[in-house]
Amino acid sequence: MTARNISQFWKWGRKIICVGRNYADHAKELKNAIPTEPVLFLKPPSAYVREGSPILVPPYTGNLHHEVELGVVIGKGGTAIPQAAAMEHVAGYALCLDMTARDIQDECKSRGLPWTLAKAFNTSCPVSDFIPKERIPDPANVQLWLKVNEQLRQSGSTSQMIFSIPYLISYISDFITLEEGDLILTGTPKGVSAVQEHDELQAGIQDVVTMSFRVDRQD
Amino acid sequence: MTARNISQFWKWGRKIICVGRNYADHAKELKNAIPTEPVLFLKPPSAYVREGSPILVPPYTGNLHHEVELGVVIGKGGTAIPQAAAMEHVAGYALCLDMTARDIQDECKSRGLPWTLAKAFNTSCPVSDFIPKERIPDPANVQLWLKVNEQLRQSGSTSQMIFSIPYLISYISDFITLEEGDLILTGTPKGVSAVQEHDELQAGIQDVVTMSFRVDRQD
Ligand SMILES: [Mg+2]
Ligand SMILES: [Mg+2]
Ligand SMILES: [Mg+2]
């Protein structure tokens, strides 16, 4: 293995920690209560997919949803990181999709089961190129958008987040040590909807990055 | 980073996939139905802890349980691995504990939330030395045991597993690609119970390995 290059964190990073219901308008559209503490779940690094490869629909879902999210890439690990020091641990960002088998997630929720089948499958974490920290001077005020076949489905500002990036880094690192190359997905604004085989997804962070992915069926 | 050494998989392996309720007698003791397909959840690699370091009780739980489990270490990655070829992907084993904040898990289950706080915290995955495959010729017939302060709490044979190791490898790899260094925790027999600060845990696989861990409070 060659030296670690943070701009290819998806090749060697060891965890993906996702925050659910971090935008009030999205919590409402799924009829969830506004959380009083972050809802956290995990994806494995095998979930990463990069432009040029398709997002695959698992055969067991009939309702695969897109969730466009700002990803935070950890540059310096730590445990029990204070909020005031949290941004020193950030190397940069990535635009991410939290692909979600919504029908399976609903079933897991009603049966009290973990969300693994709904959230952790191969290609459930499409990621953009790495975005160095300097290119997003104010991560609490960027515009995320997502289109399916040219139609705008999601558009929202990270200013609508319930829990801020420093809060999340501090909260998570109290019980899960953060390591270089880890990725935190910070939640999605409203407008999630289903995708089908052959759809084209485009997503962006205004003035910073765009990416596109084709949806295919898993054989 | 030096070359990967499978006997130290915990230093570089990228995922831990855990199977819940894989022994009927344990499913019953927690009043869960016998599953018709595997219940899967994830721990991050930051959950690993090795002998010599303590198991830490997270401050938010009042009911931390031990679950002794046979861990399967993947040597050769793969996707959609057939059951008949599954054992070729196994490099060896490790004795593992799936430390579980049972009160938090119960709350997550009743609220339809992911199990992250209950299962993914630092030191939630104590692991023994790596056990080369040859040392366990029949992984479907080994005896696992766990003592707390010299008292036997868990004792069971992997012959009681509902889903076999080849079945689990095949089932998981259908939607989560397995990679070298991944660990699969295969579930726990009955006898789970709470541990307290200053307890001494000892666990073993009969005739193969033993390990011991002290329980401490997280500061
Ligand atoms: Mg999400
Ligand atoms: Mg989970
Ligand atoms: Mg377990």
Side-chain angles (χ1 to χ4, degrees):
Chain A
M1 185 178 284
T2 55
R4 292 167 160 198
N5 180 346
I6 195 71
S7 74
Q8 301 201 311
F9 65 89
W10 55 83
K11 288 193 177 168
W12 52 269
R14 294 177 87 193
K15 62 181 172 286
I16 305 171
I17 304 173
C18 307
V19 183
R21 308 179 193 170
N22 199 25
Y23 289 74
D25 56 358
H26 169 64
K28 274 182 213 158
E29 76 179 340
L30 293 186
K31 299 186 170 41
N32 287 312
I34 308 297
T36 53
E37 63 178 328
V39 172
L40 300 181
F41 59 91
L42 301 169
K43 290 179 191 271
S46 46
Y48 281 128
V49 60
R50 294 274 302 148
E51 276 188 287
S53 295
I55 295 168
L56 299 176
V57 184
Y60 52 72
T61 180
N63 196 16
L64 181 64
H65 276 201
H66 55 78
E67 300 189 354
V68 65
E69 314 207 356
L70 180 64
V72 177
V73 181
I74 298 299
K76 186 176 77 173
T79 306
I81 298 166
Q83 278 196 62
M87 293 310 292
E88 298 165 22
H89 294 260
V90 174
Y93 305 93
L95 182 62
C96 305
L97 304 184
D98 168 17
M99 298 304 299
T100 303
R102 191 74 66 201
D103 46 355
I104 306 298
Q105 187 194 24
D106 288 345
E107 196 185 322
C108 292
K109 283 159 66 175
S110 70
R111 295 175 60 203
L113 292 173
W115 296 1
T116 314
L117 277 163
K119 292 285 198 179
F121 53 87
N122 288 345
T123 78
S124 64
C125 193
V127 286
S128 75
D129 288 347
F130 175 73
I131 303 160
K133 191 180 186 175
E134 303 71 41
R135 293 203 43 219
I136 302 187
D138 185 4
N141 191 21
V142 293
Q143 197 72 23
L144 309 177
W145 58 267
L146 181 136
K147 293 177 185 179
V148 179
N149 304 327
E150 309 284 332
Q151 288 208 317
L152 189 66
R153 297 278 182 91
Q154 291 191 268
S155 174
S157 168
T158 56
S159 64
Q160 299 159 356
M161 280 187 195
I162 298 168
F163 301 106
S164 70
I165 292 170
Y167 184 91
L168 292 171
I169 289 172
S170 180
Y171 177 87
I172 293 166
S173 68
D174 273 347
F175 70 103
I176 297 181
T177 293
L178 291 173
E179 298 174 296
E180 188 188 1
D182 285 350
L183 178 70
I184 301 173
L185 263 60
T186 57
T188 196
K190 75 167 186 298
V192 300
S193 69
V195 298
Q196 315 290 342
E197 196 187 349
H198 304 318
D199 279 349
E200 290 282 343
L201 307 194
Q202 269 195 301
I205 302 175
Q206 201 170 34
D207 303 325
V208 178
V209 76
T210 61
M211 64 180 186
S212 56
F213 285 88
R214 182 188 157 84
V215 179
D216 231 321
R217 208 163 46 184
Q218 183 189 322
D219 292 319
Chain B
M1 183 178 285
T2 54
R4 293 167 159 197
N5 180 345
I6 196 70
S7 74
Q8 301 200 312
F9 66 89
W10 54 84
K11 288 193 177 168
W12 52 270
R14 295 177 86 193
K15 62 181 172 287
I16 305 171
I17 303 172
C18 307
V19 183
R21 308 178 193 170
N22 199 25
Y23 288 74
D25 57 358
H26 169 64
K28 275 182 214 158
E29 78 180 339
L30 294 185
K31 299 185 170 42
N32 287 312
I34 307 298
T36 53
E37 62 177 330
V39 172
L40 300 181
F41 59 91
L42 302 169
K43 290 179 190 271
S46 46
Y48 281 128
V49 61
R50 294 274 301 148
E51 276 188 286
S53 295
I55 294 168
L56 300 176
V57 183
Y60 52 73
T61 180
N63 195 18
L64 181 65
H65 276 202
H66 55 78
E67 300 189 354
V68 66
E69 313 207 356
L70 179 65
V72 177
V73 181
I74 299 299
K76 186 176 79 173
T79 306
I81 298 166
Q83 278 196 62
M87 294 309 293
E88 298 165 22
H89 293 260
V90 174
Y93 304 93
L95 182 62
C96 306
L97 304 184
D98 168 17
M99 298 304 299
T100 303
R102 191 74 65 200
D103 46 355
I104 306 298
Q105 187 194 25
D106 287 345
E107 195 185 323
C108 291
K109 283 159 66 176
S110 70
R111 295 175 60 203
L113 292 173
W115 296 0
T116 314
L117 278 163
K119 292 285 199 178
F121 54 87
N122 289 344
T123 77
S124 63
C125 193
V127 286
S128 74
D129 288 346
F130 175 73
I131 302 161
K133 191 180 186 176
E134 303 71 41
R135 293 202 46 218
I136 303 187
D138 185 5
N141 192 21
V142 292
Q143 196 72 22
L144 309 176
W145 58 267
L146 181 136
K147 294 178 185 179
V148 179
N149 304 327
E150 308 284 332
Q151 287 208 317
L152 188 67
R153 297 280 181 90
Q154 292 191 268
S155 174
S157 167
T158 57
S159 65
Q160 299 158 358
M161 280 187 194
I162 298 168
F163 302 106
S164 70
I165 292 170
Y167 185 92
L168 291 171
I169 288 172
S170 181
Y171 177 87
I172 293 166
S173 68
D174 272 348
F175 70 104
I176 298 181
T177 292
L178 291 172
E179 298 175 295
E180 188 187 1
D182 286 351
L183 178 70
I184 301 173
L185 263 61
T186 57
T188 196
K190 74 167 187 299
V192 302
S193 69
V195 298
Q196 315 290 341
E197 196 186 350
H198 304 318
D199 280 349
E200 289 282 342
L201 306 194
Q202 270 196 301
I205 302 174
Q206 201 171 31
D207 303 326
V208 178
V209 76
T210 62
M211 64 180 187
S212 56
F213 285 89
R214 183 187 156 86
V215 179
D216 230 322
R217 208 163 47 183
Q218 184 190 322
D219 292 320

